Amino acid sequence: MKRSLLGRIWPNATAIVLFAAFVFPVYWMFSTAFKPTGDIITEKPVWFPTDVTFDHFKTAYNAPDFFTLVRNSLTVTLLAVVFSLVIALFASFALARMRFKGRKSMILVFMIAQMAPWEVMVIAIYMLVRDADMLNSLVPLTLFYMVMVLPFTILTLRGYVAAVPKELEESAMVDGCSRPQAFVKVILPLLAPGLMATSLFGFITAWNEFPLVLILNKEPESKTLPLWLSQFQSQFGDDWGATMAAASIFAVPILILFVFLQRKAVSGLTDGAVKG
């Protein structure tokens, strides 16, 4: 009885401690954004603010080019995710269903590319974009963000495609569907968890990306929110309330997306990792 009780207590206690450790910084960021300046700079921490102010958020979204930067971030992130999903759907189907020379080597290359640190290639990427005369453009950012998330997307979706019995696809083709129609009507609906998982991963990766935009986009109207957030404190000094408000604005899209997709995303990651 004691061993059974202990076996139930320590996993729950560990989960509670980890939950508090991960959630507390997020809570402190949002609570600081709503605190008056006096409660922020006081020596005694104010754990639960009683006075709420929105002045810090006004300072953040009234910053120069704020809405332009929001548009830039959403544009490059959404386009990179959509393009990577479209390409990965075809590539994962080919890797899972077709047998061709070099197939295993190609899968290995995707795995290596997934593990490669993109930061070491920033200089080479800069030279390519500079020679193409595309500095301060959103097009290179979109393309390179797509390439960043593509290996993970292909490998995950490949597991889902491989898990779909071939008999379902063959039955649809016997009933008169072509191979593309069988893919769209039979396989694609079964890939929903994998699509959600890879979409969430791609969105977070592209939304948070910092080194590339720092090197490639110097003009204010071509920057994105991560670069704006890194320069926010230099513009507003020690206004920690405004800084936390800016960080909260930056984090809100990811939090909203994760809340809606987290169940499907977790199942998609685990299923895609063990199937195929």
Side-chain angles (χ1 to χ4, degrees):
M1 289 289 292
K2 291 182 179 180
R3 290 183 179 180
S4 178
L5 181 62
L6 182 61
R8 292 196 301 267
I9 289 177
W10 77 261
N12 293 331
T14 303
I16 292 173
V17 172
L18 292 176
F19 175 80
F22 284 108
V23 170
F24 178 75
V26 179
Y27 164 76
W28 194 253
M29 176 182 69
F30 279 100
S31 65
T32 303
F34 288 101
K35 292 176 184 177
T37 303
D39 290 346
I40 297 174
I41 62 176
T42 182
E43 294 183 359
K44 185 178 180 180
V46 179
W47 301 103
F48 304 100
T50 54
D51 297 329
V52 176
T53 179
F54 293 92
D55 292 340
H56 302 311
F57 287 94
K58 293 179 181 179
T59 303
Y61 68 71
N62 284 330
D65 301 315
F66 170 74
F67 291 101
T68 300
L69 300 179
V70 172
R71 183 193 63 199
N72 291 345
S73 289
L74 288 175
T75 299
V76 298
T77 300
L78 293 177
L79 288 179
V81 171
V82 171
F83 290 158
S84 66
L85 286 179
V86 172
I87 296 174
L89 281 173
F90 293 104
S92 61
F93 181 81
L95 291 174
R97 285 286 191 263
M98 301 178 182
R99 297 295 180 265
F100 52 89
K101 188 176 181 180
R103 171 177 168 272
K104 293 183 178 180
S105 299
M106 187 175 296
I107 296 174
L108 180 61
V109 169
F110 284 133
M111 292 181 178
I112 295 174
Q114 176 62 30
M115 295 183 291
W118 284 94
E119 289 77 8
V120 302
M121 294 183 281
V122 167
I123 297 177
I125 292 173
Y126 171 80
M127 295 176 66
L128 288 173
V129 176
R130 180 201 60 188
D131 294 342
D133 195 23
M134 298 187 70
L135 293 174
N136 298 307
S137 172
L138 298 182
V139 175
L141 287 181
T142 303
L143 294 177
F144 284 113
Y145 289 175
M146 177 194 70
V147 173
M148 284 181 184
V149 303
L150 195 55
F152 174 84
T153 307
I154 291 175
L155 292 174
T156 302
L157 292 181
R158 170 184 167 270
Y160 270 88
V161 175
V164 177
K166 291 183 179 180
E167 290 77 11
L168 294 178
E169 184 182 354
E170 293 171 353
S171 297
M173 296 176 65
V174 169
D175 290 339
C177 291
S178 62
R179 181 175 287 272
Q181 290 175 333
F183 176 79
V184 172
K185 294 181 179 180
V186 177
I187 298 180
L188 188 58
L190 300 177
L191 302 181
L195 291 173
M196 292 183 182
T198 52
S199 297
L200 181 59
F201 171 82
F203 188 92
I204 293 175
T205 301
W207 185 261
N208 292 334
E209 201 285 324
F210 176 78
L212 270 183
V213 68
L214 177 64
I215 299 298
L216 300 181
N217 294 47
K218 299 292 185 180
E219 297 296 330
E221 64 276 5
S222 64
K223 296 179 181 179
T224 56
L225 284 177
L227 191 57
W228 168 77
L229 185 60
S230 69
Q231 299 173 348
F232 189 86
Q233 190 177 357
S234 63
Q235 296 180 20
F236 293 93
D238 293 331
D239 190 348
W240 292 107
T243 302
M244 292 297 102
S248 300
I249 293 173
F250 178 75
V252 162
I254 293 178
L255 292 176
I256 293 175
L257 190 64
F258 182 79
V259 167
F260 283 102
L261 298 183
Q262 57 94 12
R263 286 191 177 181
K264 292 291 186 180
V266 172
S267 64
L269 288 173
T270 54
D271 292 346
V274 299
K275 294 179 181 177

